């Protein structure tokens, strides 16, 4: 059991230490320019088409959920029909 633990520890250390690391560019200043630009758009839509789709989907789900809740409130307020 001890040898197995030691072997697993060596494998995990070797994998972590030799793993290639991705180098990412710092794009904070680009995003700051984009979001601080005065183009008349609200900040939640400045990300482009993806933000627009997410916003419209969320708004649609909220409207649908509200209508669904009112429908079931109406249905549950009606008396049941006797059989």
């Amino acid at each position: 059991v001890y040898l197995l633990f030691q072997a697993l520890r060596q494998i995990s250390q070797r994998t972590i230490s030799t793993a290639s690391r991705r180098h990412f560019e710092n794009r904070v200043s680009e995003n700051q320019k984009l979001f601080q630009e005065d183009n008349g758009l609200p900040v939640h839509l400045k990300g482009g088409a993806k933000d627009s789709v997410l916003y419209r989907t969320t708004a649609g789900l909220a409207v649908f959920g509200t209508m669904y809740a009112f429908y079931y409130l109406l249905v549950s307020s009606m008396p049941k029909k006797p059989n």
Side-chain angles (χ1 to χ4, degrees):
V1 176
Y2 178 72
L3 292 175
L4 179 63
F5 176 72
Q6 191 175 20
L8 286 174
R9 193 173 83 189
Q10 284 179 346
I11 290 171
S12 67
Q13 286 176 349
R14 189 177 312 131
T15 304
I16 291 171
S17 65
T18 59
S20 65
R21 295 184 179 171
R22 296 180 184 168
H23 296 285
F24 293 104
E25 293 180 30
N26 186 0
R27 295 181 12 195
V28 172
S29 62
E30 294 174 22
N31 287 335
Q32 283 177 340
K33 288 178 187 174
L34 172 71
F35 285 101
Q36 290 177 356
E37 183 178 317
D38 187 20
N39 56 4
L41 288 175
V43 72
H44 58 274
L45 294 177
K46 286 191 177 190
K50 186 171 87 170
D51 282 351
S52 180
V53 168
L54 287 172
Y55 173 73
R56 291 172 194 252
T57 302
T58 303
L61 285 172
V63 168
F64 175 75
T66 302
M67 290 174 23
Y68 192 68
F70 280 128
Y71 169 75
Y72 267 96
L73 186 62
L74 179 70
V75 167
S76 61
S77 68
M78 298 293 174
K80 291 186 177 184
K81 296 179 183 177
N83 288 335

